[in-house]
Amino acid sequence: MNGAQLLMAHGVSTGLMSGPPAILSAWREGEVDLVLSRYILDEMVRVLPRLPRITLTAAEIRDLADSFLFMAEIVDPSTEPDEALRDQADQPVLGTLRTAQADYLVSGDKDLLALGERYPIVTPTIFWERHGH
């Protein structure tokens, strides 16, 4: 995988938690670098407990977010808006990608994926198809 720099936005849930399990393994083994923002971590803590496919408790999710603070690169999102983004609430996620200049934003969010022609935004499955081993 050659150390791809990976920004898991909504992909913290869709990619690391419920996407191809090998993405999580590759990150743990140092094959990809994870870049996040506090905004993304806060979203993870807020949203994941509501998803039925996630089996972690709210406390376990908070612990995971705390772990990411130490194990991932944390950046401050760019505040420059992109008017092409359909859901303006996703601006901090896109801003994180722009600040991090990550190789990929891995997300299942349809509004972010719609910008895939302009930014390197892919689903967890597409990421793994391109870079899995």
Side-chain angles (χ1 to χ4, degrees):
M1 210 168 300
N2 300 328
Q5 191 177 45
L6 180 63
L7 168 63
M8 302 290 285
H10 297 77
V12 170
S13 61
T14 59
L16 291 180
M17 306 290 281
S18 61
I23 293 177
L24 180 56
S25 295
W27 170 65
R28 284 184 175 155
E29 294 170 13
E31 295 177 23
V32 295
D33 297 320
L34 183 61
V35 181
L36 299 167
S37 65
R38 288 188 182 273
Y39 174 85
I40 291 171
L41 291 172
D42 290 345
E43 278 288 290
M44 181 182 94
V45 169
R46 186 180 67 78
V47 172
L48 283 185
R50 298 188 310 210
L51 299 178
R53 69 181 179 269
I54 302 301
T55 59
L56 298 175
T57 67
E60 290 170 326
I61 292 168
R62 281 191 304 277
D63 288 345
L64 181 61
D66 289 344
S67 297
F68 283 142
L69 283 172
F70 297 102
M71 299 185 309
E73 179 182 347
I74 307 298
V75 300
D76 292 324
S78 163
T79 57
E80 182 182 331
D82 186 322
E83 299 306 320
L85 186 58
R86 297 186 302 207
D87 182 355
Q88 293 301 305
D90 287 332
Q91 288 291 355
V93 175
L94 193 58
T96 301
L97 171 65
R98 295 202 321 249
T99 296
Q101 298 180 341
D103 298 321
Y104 292 96
L105 165 55
V106 178
S107 178
D109 183 284
K110 289 178 177 53
D111 294 316
L112 289 167
L113 289 166
L115 295 178
E117 295 294 319
R118 297 180 56 206
Y119 298 98
I121 304 172
V122 297
T123 65
T125 301
I126 296 294
F127 174 81
W128 196 249
E129 286 173 359
R130 292 181 185 173
H131 297 284
H133 28 101

